[in-house]
């Protein structure tokens, strides 16, 4: 049986159907599985956190490499199928990573409807709280989102939320028919190598993100416009405020954040 047949058989056996509301699109591509696990470079000493194990396809592969895998799943109907694995039935966004060993690896085919909240919860928020942070993140996500994150010409709040903490790269693109049921969009495997230290010092992170948030409030407008609420004007900085937010480097955002 191939992965698609196994997936269909498993759903049938347990009288289940994929739940759209939970972003259930199960991976049925051996190639994509190998690419995800390969990118994670797992050793037996690694601690792996998985979000959304689903029917356990990726979970099984992860467990072949290390005994320390914890999977977080919201759908308790999958309990029977996931019995062989170490699963917490909880909303991943409510899980507190401070319980994890430092330098864990986050490896998952996540539910796409909460991609940004997952990235923020497990990377940015952990750094801000000085809690356990991952050392490597390998996630399957919507291609458009992955491409927005790695875009070198044009930044966004999302890309900066990642680039402050690590280096993102696309490992491979994954076509919609590699999932059952096939989603409407194509996907990509995104790997983020997390830096030992963020590019912005921990004390300045809150101010930095506050400045970015307001700086991008109307992305098509000039910075001078967006920064008015902070009473920042051209006399206070060398950075040309006629520019748009998407063109600023991290260092330039740091400079602006010192003015607020
Ligand atoms: N990793 C599996 C399934 C991916 S589908 C595979 O590759 O085949 C996404 C999974 O995330 C589903 O199992 C869904 O039930 C689960 N999920 C959805 N929302 C969640 C949440 N808030 N917290 C944890 N898991 C969630």
């Amino acid at each position: 049986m191939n992965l698609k047949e196994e997936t269909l058989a498993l759903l049938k056996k347990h009288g289940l159907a994929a739940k759209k509301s939970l972003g259930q699109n199960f991976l049925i591509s051996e190639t994509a599985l190998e690419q995800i696990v390969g990118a994670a470079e797992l050793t037996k000493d690694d601690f792996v956190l998985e979000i959304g194990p689903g029917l356990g396809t990726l979970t099984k592969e992860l467990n072949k490499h290390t005994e320390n895998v914890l999977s977080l799943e919201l759908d308790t109907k999958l309990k029977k199928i996931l019995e062989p694995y170490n699963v917490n039935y909880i909303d991943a966004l409510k899980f507190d990573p401070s319980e994890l060993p430092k330098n864990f690896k986050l490896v998952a085919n996540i539910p796409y409807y909460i991609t940004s909240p997952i990235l923020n919860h497990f990377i940015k928020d952990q750094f801000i709280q000085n809690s356990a942070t991952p050392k490597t993140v390998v996630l399957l996500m919507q291609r458009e989102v992955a491409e927005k994150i790695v875009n070198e010409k044009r930044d966004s709040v999302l890309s900066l939320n990642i680039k402050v903490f690590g280096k993102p790269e696309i490992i491979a693109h994954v076509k919609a028919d590699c999932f059952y049921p096939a989603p409407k969009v194509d996907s990509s495997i995104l790997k983020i190598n997390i830096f030992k230290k963020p590019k912005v010092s921990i004390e300045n992170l809150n101010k930095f993100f506050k400045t970015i948030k307001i700086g991008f409030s109307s992305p098509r407008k000039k910075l001078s416009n967006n920064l008015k609420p902070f009473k920042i004007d051209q006399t206070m900085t060398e950075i040309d405020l006629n520019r748009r937010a998407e063109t600023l480097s991290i260092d330039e955002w740091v400079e602006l954040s010192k003015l607020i």
Side-chain angles (χ1 to χ4, degrees), residues 22-27 52-54 72-74 91-92 109 111 113-114:
L22 288 182
Q24 291 185 349
N25 298 94
F26 304 113
L27 194 58
L72 310 175
E73 176 57 63
L74 192 56
D91 178 346
N109 170 24
Y113 72 100
I114 45 172

Side-chain angles (χ1 to χ4, degrees), residues 46-236:
D46 281 330
F47 188 98
V48 177
L49 182 71
E50 184 196 20
I51 297 167
L55 306 177
T57 316
L58 175 60
T59 323
K60 186 174 165 188
E61 296 307 314
L62 297 173
N63 276 279
K64 283 182 188 164
H65 289 82
T66 165
E67 287 175 6
N68 315 310
V69 181
L70 173 64
S71 305
L72 310 175
E73 176 57 63
L74 192 56
D75 188 357
T76 49
K77 291 247 160 64
L78 301 172
K79 263 189 182 166
K80 192 123 193 76
I81 296 175
L82 294 171
E83 221 162 48
Y85 309 113
N86 181 20
V87 184
N88 271 11
Y89 291 90
I90 183 178
D91 178 346
L93 299 175
K94 300 217 170 96
F95 175 80
D96 178 5
S98 68
E99 297 164 22
L100 300 178
K102 275 197 168 30
N103 289 324
F104 64 94
K105 290 184 174 178
L106 176 60
V107 187
N109 170 24
I110 53 173
Y112 292 1
Y113 72 100
I114 45 172
T115 302
S116 298
I118 286 176
L119 290 167
N120 288 339
H121 182 68
F122 288 93
I123 307 175
K124 177 179 154 188
D125 294 354
Q126 299 318 306
F127 273 102
I128 288 177
Q129 290 158 27
N130 220 339
S131 174
T133 48
K135 75 168 167 197
T136 308
V137 175
V138 180
L139 299 177
L140 198 47
M141 62 179 66
Q142 191 176 332
R143 177 169 175 165
E144 200 186 310
V145 177
E147 285 178 335
K148 193 168 169 186
I149 292 173
V150 300
N151 192 329
E152 301 215 333
K153 290 197 201 102
R154 214 179 292 157
D155 270 311
S156 56
V157 174
L158 178 65
S159 71
L160 290 167
N161 277 346
I162 305 290
K163 287 176 184 171
V164 169
F165 303 108
K167 183 158 178 39
E169 65 173 308
I170 290 179
I171 299 295
H173 298 304
V174 181
K175 289 250 167 267
D177 65 5
C178 292
F179 300 84
Y180 177 84
K184 287 205 178 73
V185 293
D186 281 338
S187 300
S188 301
I189 301 167
L190 184 85
K191 177 174 181 177
I192 309 166
N193 278 315
I194 305 288
F195 304 137
K196 287 217 166 68
K197 260 191 184 166
K199 282 198 172 169
V200 178
S201 64
I202 309 256
E203 315 84 77
N204 293 334
L205 279 174
N206 275 323
K207 257 189 166 183
F208 174 83
F209 285 115
K210 214 171 144 184
T211 312
I212 283 180
K213 194 173 166 202
I214 199 91
F216 275 94
S217 51
S218 297
R220 313 211 64 79
K221 287 198 181 145
K222 293 175 191 170
L223 275 172
S224 54
N225 237 298
N226 293 341
L227 293 174
K228 267 184 198 149
F230 284 159
K231 309 217 178 325
I232 297 176
D233 67 51
Q234 195 61 74
T235 60
M236 301 154 78

